[in-house]
Amino acid sequence: MEELYIQGGRPLRGTLAVQGSKNAVLPILAATAAIPGRVVLSNCPPIRDVAVTRGLLEGLGLSTETRGDLLRVEGCREPGCAPDPELAARLRSSVLLLGALLARRGEAEIPLPGGCLLGARPLDLHLSALEALGVRVRCENNRLLCRGRPKGGTVRLRYPSVGATENLLLAALGAEGPVCVLGAAREPEIRDLADFLSACGARIQGAGSPCLRIVPAPLHGAAHRILPDRMEAATWLCAAAATGGSITLTELCPAHLAPVLELLGRAGCSLRLTERRVSLRAPARLEAPGPVITGPYPAFPTDAQAPMMAALLRARGCTLFRETVFEARYRHVPGLRALGAEIRLSDGLARVRGVPSLRGAELRATDLRGAAAMVIAALSAQGESHIREAWHLDRGYGSLVPRLQSLGARAEAI
Ligand code: EPZ
């Protein structure tokens, strides 16, 4: 969708099943370039980044087919080593083909990736770790030219980068000996990738901990159900909290959302949790819950920072946000101010002073989660908002408008 119209001021009410995780399915799809045989994924989200990744895989010689939430990938005997630059430039996770192709072919020519503009988003952690395993890396004409199967050994990440951890996991599948990764990221999506790879025959220890060990083993196809999307869940919970609504989310893992649930509880929402469900009932007006400080898992997730900020724009009191993961992740703030929010930015901090009400405005989306924040704020504003460049939302939220409408929102896309 290019443009989204929202008539705000109505509480969200109803029940919604959470979709499969964008940040779990994308590395798993990249991994299929290393897997000979057939892979069948269920609970795949109907999002644009999956469609783009399917195009990348097909350009390498694999074949893909979807039916509902099922996605089947047929490996090929010898995948190409150079993904399509135009497609690769549309998302950050295209860089994960580097690890998969090194494992499969011992070479890769990867275009520099794209993705949300949240700061510099360098690749030094990915590349220095691969070089430490003996891979020869050159950058030429905006492409990474990598040669050589990774050797066994131990690498340490100075920061628990999700993507670098995933790239190392994939490259280690074809290494000449066991690979240990110290300082690995611990996100649930990494554990889901490791669970998938283990189903394909990989021997992985420590997934979800800071210390991973991968022993190369013969790989084969497998079936896997994609983990529920904790960020989509956080977005819906923040939207219900922002509008004084009450919703029940099903098919999710509440434990993966603990910091988000804890803050929403402190903001005055009543929460009921079971193993796979969360029910939230919000007051007409939230209370400022205390500081929101993002960090690597299990800290408060950076991808929920913008949605949570949008939810707290009308809260009583002030909320301090500190974004520690990305250096430029406040691009949604001008749009929130256009709706009447009072937000001061200084030294990487955002100070939100709650206002009694917001009013509809003309907005332009800047990135995936920033766009989600604008949707949430527009839902809680009085009057109509118009969001341009709404295609950002299609990247990570499947069937967004019908799902909003099912919760009573007045939203139309063009
Ligand atoms: C993944 O991005 C997610 N994307 C992001 O979600 C998420 O915000 C991020 O992890 C952090 O949780 C996918 O999984 C597809 P990082 P990634 O490497 O892997 C710096 C969304 O909205 N860094 O953990 O790119 C980097 O600049 C997206 O769904 C280096 O300095 O994140 C950032 O400041 C947005 N050098 C920090 O580390 C490197 O080589 C975290 O980046 C790599 C990263």
Side-chain angles (χ1 to χ4, degrees), residues 22-23 26 92-93 116 118 120-126 158-164 166 187 302-303 325-327 329 368-369:
K22 167 180 91 79
N23 292 349
L26 294 180
R92 172 79 175 183
S93 57
C116 292
L118 308 172
R121 299 192 85 174
L123 292 169
D124 56 322
L125 296 174
H126 298 239
R158 65 172 167 74
Y159 180 87
S161 155
V162 170
E166 291 165 342
E187 274 67 5
T302 176
D303 294 347
V325 178
F326 289 101
E327 70 273 22
R329 196 162 201 175
L368 172 60
R369 308 303 174 184

Side-chain angles (χ1 to χ4, degrees), residues 15-35:
T15 298
L16 212 51
V18 174
Q19 293 177 340
S21 164
K22 167 180 91 79
N23 292 349
V25 71
L26 294 180
I28 286 172
L29 281 175
T32 61
I35 309 280

